[in-house]
């Protein structure tokens, strides 16, 4: 009988045939082998499940469910997790061979921490490096008590570079399945209210994030109404609110709304919906004035009217603004 694993890797998978095997191969290639991988097939209509079935590794299990969304899939996997530590890895991403060892060592070295995380690289659908990335050595993240920084803007790419304590995640109930957008941010905020995050350093990267067009979150992000439920969930969370004074909470509330409004405006701009983009971006600046945001808005306007690539694909996110502030 196999002993319980130390680490559980939960992999929600929906129509990732051709990508799920590289993902699982990266888990199988880890420098430590005391893990289990739970793949939750969220009603795929392609060959995802058939490809997983070709693997002969007792540490990998396949769970199939009707299509219910990524949060339900993650929570399903979390309910089955047996490891002390858990990672949520998307089915098209790829781990560095030392990822689990480094992250687990980070948690063991910081018993007060609820999560450990590192850096990531982006890759194209083909697996080639994504062009124009900032060198890993220049990545900057908050460390320790990251709650205020997380409230101001999600500084994590996704769960693929985060290892967390399974018992804490289970006690929190996992992801809020009622949320269709920013459900990961809402979960990270609740987790950050429970304890500190340990940053394990910049190099090497923990995982490679595969950037694919047509993501569901991108389609939802264009509508400001879709941002409200996650905002309301965080703003109404008594445990999070109790961590701050009245004045600090008012300021953070403005920053949160401004961050989401800016992101919604950014997505509208990339979709060439310039009128709502301008309205949302100006709204963000009114809520939380920022010289950087103002400069980016001017650059975006010039790009639109002069057709100059002053802001390449307008790849500025509010985490770029938040990163300039102390945690």
């Amino acid at each position: 009988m196999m002993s319980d694993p130390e680490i559980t890797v939960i992999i929600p998978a929906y129509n990732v045939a051709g990508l799920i095997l590289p993902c699982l191969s990266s888990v199988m290639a880890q420098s430590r082998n005391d893990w289990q991988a739970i793949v939750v097939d969220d009603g795929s209509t392609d060959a995802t499940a058939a490809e997983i079935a070709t693997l002969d590794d007792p540490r990998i299990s396949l769970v199939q469910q009707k299509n219910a969304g990524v949060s339900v899939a993650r929570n399903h996997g979390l309910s089955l997790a047996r490891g002390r530590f858990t990672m949520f890895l998307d089915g098209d991403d790829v781990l560095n061979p030392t990822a689990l060892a480094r992250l687990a060592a980070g948690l063991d070295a910081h018993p007060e921490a609820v999560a450990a995380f590192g850096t990531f690289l982006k890759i194209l659908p083909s697996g080639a490096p994504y062009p124009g990335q900032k060198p890993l050595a220049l990545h900057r993240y908050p460390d320790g008590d990251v709650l205020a920084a997380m409230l101001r803007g999600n500084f994590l790419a996704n769960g693929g570079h985060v290892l967390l304590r399974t018992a804490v995640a289970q006690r929190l109930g996992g992801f809020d399945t009622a949320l269709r957008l920013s459900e990961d941010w809402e979960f990270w905020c609740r987790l950050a209210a429970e304890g500190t995050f340990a940053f394990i350093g910049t190099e090497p990267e923990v995982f490679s994030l595969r950037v694919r067009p047509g993501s569901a979150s991108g389609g939802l992000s264009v509508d400001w109404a879709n941002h409200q439920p996650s905002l309301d969930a965080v703003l109404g969370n008594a445990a999070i609110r109790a961590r701050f004074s009245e004045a600090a909470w008012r300021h953070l509330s403005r920053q949160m709304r401004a961050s989401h409004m800016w992101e919604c405006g950014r997505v509208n701009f990339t979709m060439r919906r310039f009128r709502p983009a301008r309205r949302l971006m100006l709204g963000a600046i009114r809520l939380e004035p920022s010289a950087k945001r103002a400069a980016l808005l001017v650059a975006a306007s010039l790009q639109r009217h002069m057709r100059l690539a002053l802001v390449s694909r307008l790849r500025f996110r509010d985490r770029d603004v938040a990163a300039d502030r102390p945690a």
Side-chain angles (χ1 to χ4, degrees):
M1 181 177 178
M2 292 180 61
S3 60
D4 279 348
E6 281 290 288
I7 300 170
T8 298
V9 182
I10 298 169
I11 306 173
Y14 177 72
N15 287 350
V16 285
L19 300 173
I20 188 63
L21 288 185
C23 174
L24 287 170
S25 294
S26 75
V27 179
M28 295 167 68
Q30 289 299 296
S31 60
R32 58 183 296 170
N33 58 18
D34 53 347
W35 51 263
Q36 68 169 152
I38 303 172
V39 185
V40 183
D41 182 8
D42 187 34
S44 294
T45 57
D46 65 1
T48 294
E51 291 185 2
I52 298 167
T54 65
L55 297 175
D56 183 19
D57 191 321
R59 297 170 298 179
I60 299 174
S61 59
L62 171 63
V63 178
Q64 294 181 281
Q65 64 179 36
K66 293 182 179 179
N67 182 250
V70 67
S71 291
V72 173
R74 286 170 175 161
N75 289 349
H76 192 168
L78 182 61
S79 71
L80 302 173
R82 293 184 289 121
R84 285 195 302 137
F85 305 142
T86 289
M87 169 185 282
F88 295 103
L89 178 68
D90 286 354
D92 55 355
D93 293 336
V94 179
L95 287 178
N96 181 287
T98 64
L100 297 183
R102 293 174 63 224
L103 289 169
L107 279 176
D108 283 335
H110 296 88
E112 78 288 355
V114 295
F117 70 104
T119 56
F120 67 97
L121 292 173
K122 293 188 288 186
I123 56 176
L124 295 169
S126 65
Y130 193 89
Q133 298 184 67
K134 181 168 62 175
L136 287 176
L138 299 181
H139 284 220
R140 297 290 182 269
Y141 288 97
D143 189 19
D145 183 357
V146 303
L147 179 57
M150 182 62 73
L151 291 171
R152 289 192 289 259
N154 188 359
F155 54 80
L156 299 175
N158 62 28
H161 58 136
V162 188
L163 192 68
L164 48 92
R165 297 191 189 276
T166 304
V168 178
Q170 290 175 336
R171 176 163 51 79
L172 289 175
F175 295 82
D176 186 340
T177 59
L179 301 179
R180 300 174 64 218
L181 184 67
S182 298
E183 73 287 339
D184 53 346
W185 171 72
E186 189 271 342
F187 174 71
W188 302 133
C189 289
R190 282 189 284 126
L191 187 65
E194 294 290 316
T196 60
F197 280 34
F199 179 55
I200 64 170
T202 57
E203 298 179 87
E205 79 285 354
V206 168
F207 88 121
S208 294
L209 168 69
R210 201 178 303 268
V211 179
R212 294 195 289 159
S215 72
S217 61
L220 293 170
S221 291
V222 72
D223 187 348
W224 173 242
N226 291 331
H227 292 259
Q228 286 295 145
S230 60
L231 270 172
D232 290 344
V234 172
L235 288 167
N237 187 300
I240 295 174
R241 167 67 184 82
R243 289 281 305 276
F244 303 97
S245 69
E246 187 66 34
W249 184 246
R250 284 198 303 270
H251 189 201
L252 280 168
S253 298
R254 290 196 302 272
Q255 290 179 324
M256 276 186 272
R257 292 188 184 280
S259 176
H260 283 257
M261 194 171 287
W262 181 263
E263 173 62 9
C264 188
R266 183 195 69 83
V267 174
N268 273 273
F269 188 93
T270 61
M271 297 180 69
R272 303 187 66 80
R273 293 163 50 96
F274 298 122
R275 183 171 295 179
R278 179 177 174 80
R279 183 180 69 250
L280 288 159
M281 290 177 176
L282 284 173
I285 291 171
R286 292 191 189 100
L287 276 172
E288 183 65 16
S290 161
K292 187 170 184 177
R293 281 196 188 124
L296 286 168
L297 180 57
V298 170
S301 298
L302 289 173
Q303 176 175 295
R304 173 193 172 191
H305 293 295
M306 300 174 65
R307 298 183 180 180
L308 296 175
L310 298 178
V311 184
S312 177
R313 287 174 293 229
L314 205 68
R315 287 181 301 165
F316 54 89
R317 293 180 178 270
D318 208 68
R319 71 183 62 164
D320 300 324
V321 178
D324 292 338
R325 306 190 187 106

Short mmCIF file of all heavy atoms in Angstrom, two decimals, residues 156-196:
data_model
loop_
_atom_site.label_atom_id
_atom_site.label_comp_id
_atom_site.label_asym_id
_atom_site.label_seq_id
_atom_site.Cartn_x
_atom_site.Cartn_y
_atom_site.Cartn_z
N LEU A 156 -0.29 37.26 -8.58
CA LEU A 156 0.00 35.89 -8.98
C LEU A 156 -0.54 35.62 -10.38
O LEU A 156 -1.62 36.11 -10.75
CB LEU A 156 -0.62 34.90 -8.00
CG LEU A 156 -0.13 35.01 -6.55
CD1 LEU A 156 -0.92 34.05 -5.67
CD2 LEU A 156 1.36 34.71 -6.45
N ALA A 157 0.20 34.84 -11.17
CA ALA A 157 -0.27 34.50 -12.51
C ALA A 157 -1.45 33.53 -12.42
O ALA A 157 -2.51 33.76 -13.00
CB ALA A 157 0.87 33.87 -13.31
N ASN A 158 -1.26 32.44 -11.74
CA ASN A 158 -2.32 31.49 -11.38
C ASN A 158 -1.74 30.58 -10.31
O ASN A 158 -0.68 30.87 -9.74
CB ASN A 158 -2.85 30.72 -12.60
CG ASN A 158 -1.79 29.86 -13.29
OD1 ASN A 158 -0.83 29.39 -12.67
ND2 ASN A 158 -1.96 29.64 -14.58
N GLY A 159 -2.38 29.46 -10.03
CA GLY A 159 -1.91 28.62 -8.94
C GLY A 159 -0.67 27.81 -9.25
O GLY A 159 -0.14 27.13 -8.36
N GLY A 160 -0.17 27.86 -10.48
CA GLY A 160 0.94 27.03 -10.88
C GLY A 160 2.28 27.38 -10.28
O GLY A 160 3.23 26.61 -10.41
N HIS A 161 2.39 28.56 -9.63
CA HIS A 161 3.65 28.86 -8.95
C HIS A 161 3.44 29.07 -7.45
O HIS A 161 4.23 29.74 -6.79
CB HIS A 161 4.38 30.06 -9.58
CG HIS A 161 3.60 31.34 -9.64
ND1 HIS A 161 4.17 32.55 -9.30
CD2 HIS A 161 2.34 31.64 -10.01
CE1 HIS A 161 3.30 33.52 -9.47
NE2 HIS A 161 2.18 32.99 -9.89
N VAL A 162 2.36 28.44 -6.93
CA VAL A 162 2.01 28.57 -5.52
C VAL A 162 1.80 27.19 -4.91
O VAL A 162 1.12 26.34 -5.49
CB VAL A 162 0.72 29.39 -5.34
CG1 VAL A 162 0.47 29.68 -3.86
CG2 VAL A 162 0.76 30.68 -6.14
N LEU A 163 2.39 26.96 -3.75
CA LEU A 163 2.13 25.75 -2.96
C LEU A 163 1.54 26.21 -1.64
O LEU A 163 2.08 27.12 -1.00
CB LEU A 163 3.42 24.97 -2.73
CG LEU A 163 3.27 23.55 -2.17
CD1 LEU A 163 2.61 22.63 -3.19
CD2 LEU A 163 4.63 22.98 -1.76
N LEU A 164 0.43 25.61 -1.24
CA LEU A 164 -0.25 26.05 -0.02
C LEU A 164 -0.52 24.88 0.91
O LEU A 164 -0.42 23.73 0.51
CB LEU A 164 -1.54 26.79 -0.38
CG LEU A 164 -2.47 26.13 -1.39
CD1 LEU A 164 -3.48 25.27 -0.69
CD2 LEU A 164 -3.16 27.18 -2.23
N ARG A 165 -0.83 25.22 2.13
CA ARG A 165 -1.11 24.17 3.13
C ARG A 165 -2.53 23.65 2.89
O ARG A 165 -3.51 24.39 2.96
CB ARG A 165 -0.94 24.72 4.54
CG ARG A 165 0.48 25.17 4.83
CD ARG A 165 0.74 25.45 6.30
NE ARG A 165 2.05 26.07 6.46
CZ ARG A 165 3.19 25.37 6.54
NH1 ARG A 165 3.16 24.05 6.52
NH2 ARG A 165 4.35 26.01 6.68
N THR A 166 -2.61 22.35 2.65
CA THR A 166 -3.88 21.73 2.28
C THR A 166 -4.95 21.96 3.34
O THR A 166 -6.11 22.29 3.01
CB THR A 166 -3.68 20.22 2.07
OG1 THR A 166 -2.65 20.02 1.09
CG2 THR A 166 -4.96 19.56 1.59
N ALA A 167 -4.61 21.81 4.59
CA ALA A 167 -5.60 21.93 5.66
C ALA A 167 -6.23 23.32 5.68
O ALA A 167 -7.43 23.47 5.94
CB ALA A 167 -4.96 21.62 7.01
N VAL A 168 -5.42 24.35 5.41
CA VAL A 168 -5.95 25.71 5.40
C VAL A 168 -6.89 25.90 4.22
O VAL A 168 -7.99 26.46 4.37
CB VAL A 168 -4.80 26.74 5.34
CG1 VAL A 168 -5.36 28.16 5.29
CG2 VAL A 168 -3.88 26.59 6.54
N ALA A 169 -6.49 25.43 3.04
CA ALA A 169 -7.34 25.56 1.85
C ALA A 169 -8.66 24.83 2.04
O ALA A 169 -9.74 25.33 1.66
CB ALA A 169 -6.61 25.03 0.62
N GLN A 170 -8.61 23.64 2.64
CA GLN A 170 -9.84 22.88 2.88
C GLN A 170 -10.72 23.58 3.91
O GLN A 170 -11.95 23.62 3.77
CB GLN A 170 -9.49 21.46 3.32
CG GLN A 170 -8.89 20.62 2.19
CD GLN A 170 -8.43 19.25 2.66
OE1 GLN A 170 -8.14 19.04 3.85
NE2 GLN A 170 -8.33 18.30 1.74
N ARG A 171 -10.10 24.13 4.94
CA ARG A 171 -10.88 24.85 5.96
C ARG A 171 -11.57 26.07 5.37
O ARG A 171 -12.70 26.42 5.77
CB ARG A 171 -9.98 25.25 7.13
CG ARG A 171 -10.67 26.09 8.20
CD ARG A 171 -9.87 26.11 9.48
NE ARG A 171 -8.48 26.45 9.28
CZ ARG A 171 -8.04 27.71 9.11
NH1 ARG A 171 -8.90 28.71 9.10
NH2 ARG A 171 -6.75 27.96 8.96
N LEU A 172 -10.93 26.73 4.41
CA LEU A 172 -11.52 27.90 3.75
C LEU A 172 -12.60 27.52 2.74
O LEU A 172 -13.31 28.39 2.25
CB LEU A 172 -10.43 28.70 3.04
CG LEU A 172 -9.44 29.46 3.94
CD1 LEU A 172 -8.36 30.10 3.09
CD2 LEU A 172 -10.17 30.52 4.77
N GLY A 173 -12.71 26.24 2.42
CA GLY A 173 -13.74 25.81 1.48
C GLY A 173 -13.35 25.94 0.03
O GLY A 173 -14.20 25.81 -0.85
N GLY A 174 -12.06 26.19 -0.23
CA GLY A 174 -11.61 26.29 -1.62
C GLY A 174 -12.13 27.54 -2.30
O GLY A 174 -12.33 28.59 -1.68
N PHE A 175 -12.38 27.42 -3.60
CA PHE A 175 -12.79 28.56 -4.41
C PHE A 175 -14.29 28.77 -4.35
O PHE A 175 -15.07 27.81 -4.21
CB PHE A 175 -12.35 28.34 -5.87
CG PHE A 175 -10.86 28.30 -6.05
CD1 PHE A 175 -10.14 27.15 -5.80
CD2 PHE A 175 -10.16 29.44 -6.45
CE1 PHE A 175 -8.76 27.11 -5.95
CE2 PHE A 175 -8.79 29.42 -6.60
CZ PHE A 175 -8.08 28.25 -6.35
N ASP A 176 -14.71 30.01 -4.46
CA ASP A 176 -16.13 30.36 -4.45
C ASP A 176 -16.72 30.05 -5.82
O ASP A 176 -16.45 30.75 -6.80
CB ASP A 176 -16.29 31.85 -4.13
CG ASP A 176 -17.74 32.27 -3.94
OD1 ASP A 176 -18.64 31.54 -4.42
OD2 ASP A 176 -17.98 33.34 -3.35
N THR A 177 -17.53 29.01 -5.91
CA THR A 177 -18.05 28.57 -7.20
C THR A 177 -19.13 29.49 -7.77
O THR A 177 -19.53 29.33 -8.92
CB THR A 177 -18.63 27.14 -7.08
OG1 THR A 177 -19.67 27.13 -6.10
CG2 THR A 177 -17.54 26.16 -6.67
N ALA A 178 -19.58 30.45 -6.98
CA ALA A 178 -20.57 31.42 -7.48
C ALA A 178 -19.92 32.50 -8.33
O ALA A 178 -20.61 33.23 -9.05
CB ALA A 178 -21.34 32.05 -6.32
N LEU A 179 -18.58 32.63 -8.24
CA LEU A 179 -17.87 33.69 -8.96
C LEU A 179 -17.43 33.19 -10.32
O LEU A 179 -16.85 32.11 -10.45
CB LEU A 179 -16.65 34.16 -8.16
CG LEU A 179 -16.94 34.70 -6.76
CD1 LEU A 179 -15.63 35.10 -6.08
CD2 LEU A 179 -17.88 35.89 -6.83
N ARG A 180 -17.65 34.00 -11.35
CA ARG A 180 -17.24 33.63 -12.71
C ARG A 180 -15.95 34.33 -13.13
O ARG A 180 -15.33 33.93 -14.10
CB ARG A 180 -18.36 34.00 -13.69
CG ARG A 180 -19.68 33.30 -13.43
CD ARG A 180 -20.76 33.82 -14.35
NE ARG A 180 -20.48 33.53 -15.75
CZ ARG A 180 -20.74 34.35 -16.76
NH1 ARG A 180 -21.24 35.55 -16.51
NH2 ARG A 180 -20.46 34.00 -17.99
N LEU A 181 -15.57 35.37 -12.42
CA LEU A 181 -14.38 36.14 -12.76
C LEU A 181 -13.64 36.51 -11.48
O LEU A 181 -14.28 36.83 -10.46
CB LEU A 181 -14.78 37.41 -13.52
CG LEU A 181 -13.65 38.29 -14.04
CD1 LEU A 181 -12.87 37.58 -15.14
CD2 LEU A 181 -14.20 39.62 -14.57
N SER A 182 -12.33 36.46 -11.52
CA SER A 182 -11.47 36.81 -10.37
C SER A 182 -11.72 35.92 -9.17
O SER A 182 -11.46 36.31 -8.03
CB SER A 182 -11.65 38.28 -9.98
OG SER A 182 -11.28 39.14 -11.04
N GLU A 183 -12.18 34.68 -9.42
CA GLU A 183 -12.38 33.75 -8.31
C GLU A 183 -11.06 33.36 -7.68
O GLU A 183 -11.00 33.08 -6.48
CB GLU A 183 -13.15 32.51 -8.78
CG GLU A 183 -12.37 31.53 -9.65
CD GLU A 183 -12.12 32.04 -11.06
OE1 GLU A 183 -12.85 32.94 -11.52
OE2 GLU A 183 -11.19 31.52 -11.70
N ASP A 184 -9.99 33.37 -8.47
CA ASP A 184 -8.68 33.05 -7.90
C ASP A 184 -8.21 34.18 -6.98
O ASP A 184 -7.70 33.93 -5.88
CB ASP A 184 -7.65 32.76 -9.00
CG ASP A 184 -7.57 33.86 -10.04
OD1 ASP A 184 -8.47 34.73 -10.10
OD2 ASP A 184 -6.59 33.86 -10.81
N TRP A 185 -8.40 35.43 -7.42
CA TRP A 185 -8.01 36.58 -6.58
C TRP A 185 -8.77 36.56 -5.26
O TRP A 185 -8.18 36.77 -4.19
CB TRP A 185 -8.29 37.89 -7.33
CG TRP A 185 -8.14 39.13 -6.50
CD1 TRP A 185 -6.97 39.67 -6.04
CD2 TRP A 185 -9.19 39.97 -6.03
NE1 TRP A 185 -7.24 40.81 -5.31
CE2 TRP A 185 -8.58 41.02 -5.29
CE3 TRP A 185 -10.57 39.97 -6.17
CZ2 TRP A 185 -9.33 42.04 -4.69
CZ3 TRP A 185 -11.32 40.98 -5.57
CH2 TRP A 185 -10.69 42.00 -4.84
N GLU A 186 -10.06 36.29 -5.31
CA GLU A 186 -10.86 36.26 -4.08
C GLU A 186 -10.35 35.18 -3.13
O GLU A 186 -10.25 35.38 -1.92
CB GLU A 186 -12.33 36.01 -4.45
CG GLU A 186 -13.32 36.17 -3.29
CD GLU A 186 -13.54 34.89 -2.51
OE1 GLU A 186 -13.20 33.79 -3.03
OE2 GLU A 186 -14.04 34.97 -1.37
N PHE A 187 -9.96 34.01 -3.70
CA PHE A 187 -9.42 32.94 -2.86
C PHE A 187 -8.08 33.32 -2.27
O PHE A 187 -7.82 33.10 -1.09
CB PHE A 187 -9.29 31.66 -3.68
CG PHE A 187 -8.62 30.54 -2.94
CD1 PHE A 187 -9.26 29.89 -1.89
CD2 PHE A 187 -7.33 30.13 -3.28
CE1 PHE A 187 -8.64 28.86 -1.20
CE2 PHE A 187 -6.71 29.10 -2.59
CZ PHE A 187 -7.36 28.47 -1.55
N TRP A 188 -7.19 33.93 -3.08
CA TRP A 188 -5.88 34.33 -2.56
C TRP A 188 -6.04 35.37 -1.45
O TRP A 188 -5.26 35.36 -0.48
CB TRP A 188 -4.99 34.90 -3.67
CG TRP A 188 -4.71 34.01 -4.83
CD1 TRP A 188 -4.79 34.34 -6.15
CD2 TRP A 188 -4.28 32.63 -4.81
NE1 TRP A 188 -4.45 33.27 -6.95
CE2 TRP A 188 -4.12 32.21 -6.14
CE3 TRP A 188 -4.01 31.73 -3.78
CZ2 TRP A 188 -3.71 30.92 -6.49
CZ3 TRP A 188 -3.61 30.44 -4.10
CH2 TRP A 188 -3.46 30.05 -5.43
N CYS A 189 -7.02 36.27 -1.58
CA CYS A 189 -7.25 37.25 -0.51
C CYS A 189 -7.66 36.56 0.78
O CYS A 189 -7.14 36.90 1.86
CB CYS A 189 -8.34 38.25 -0.94
SG CYS A 189 -7.83 39.41 -2.23
N ARG A 190 -8.57 35.59 0.70
CA ARG A 190 -8.97 34.87 1.91
C ARG A 190 -7.79 34.10 2.49
O ARG A 190 -7.62 34.04 3.72
CB ARG A 190 -10.12 33.91 1.59
CG ARG A 190 -11.47 34.59 1.46
CD ARG A 190 -12.60 33.59 1.37
NE ARG A 190 -12.69 32.98 0.06
CZ ARG A 190 -12.69 31.68 -0.19
NH1 ARG A 190 -12.59 30.82 0.84
NH2 ARG A 190 -12.81 31.19 -1.41
N LEU A 191 -6.97 33.52 1.63
CA LEU A 191 -5.81 32.78 2.10
C LEU A 191 -4.80 33.71 2.76
O LEU A 191 -4.23 33.38 3.82
CB LEU A 191 -5.17 32.03 0.93
CG LEU A 191 -4.04 31.06 1.26
CD1 LEU A 191 -4.56 29.89 2.09
CD2 LEU A 191 -3.38 30.55 -0.03
N ALA A 192 -4.57 34.88 2.16
CA ALA A 192 -3.60 35.83 2.71
C ALA A 192 -4.05 36.38 4.06
O ALA A 192 -3.22 36.81 4.87
CB ALA A 192 -3.36 36.97 1.72
N ALA A 193 -5.35 36.37 4.31
CA ALA A 193 -5.85 36.81 5.62
C ALA A 193 -5.57 35.78 6.70
O ALA A 193 -5.62 36.09 7.90
CB ALA A 193 -7.35 37.09 5.54
N GLU A 194 -5.23 34.54 6.29
CA GLU A 194 -4.98 33.46 7.24
C GLU A 194 -3.53 33.40 7.70
O GLU A 194 -3.23 32.81 8.75
CB GLU A 194 -5.35 32.12 6.60
CG GLU A 194 -6.83 31.95 6.32
CD GLU A 194 -7.63 31.78 7.60
OE1 GLU A 194 -7.18 31.03 8.48
OE2 GLU A 194 -8.70 32.41 7.71
N GLY A 195 -2.60 33.94 6.90
CA GLY A 195 -1.19 33.85 7.26
C GLY A 195 -0.31 34.43 6.18
O GLY A 195 -0.79 34.99 5.19
N THR A 196 0.98 34.28 6.34
CA THR A 196 1.93 34.92 5.43
C THR A 196 2.18 34.06 4.18
O THR A 196 1.87 32.87 4.15
CB THR A 196 3.28 35.16 6.14
OG1 THR A 196 3.81 33.90 6.56
CG2 THR A 196 3.10 36.07 7.35
#
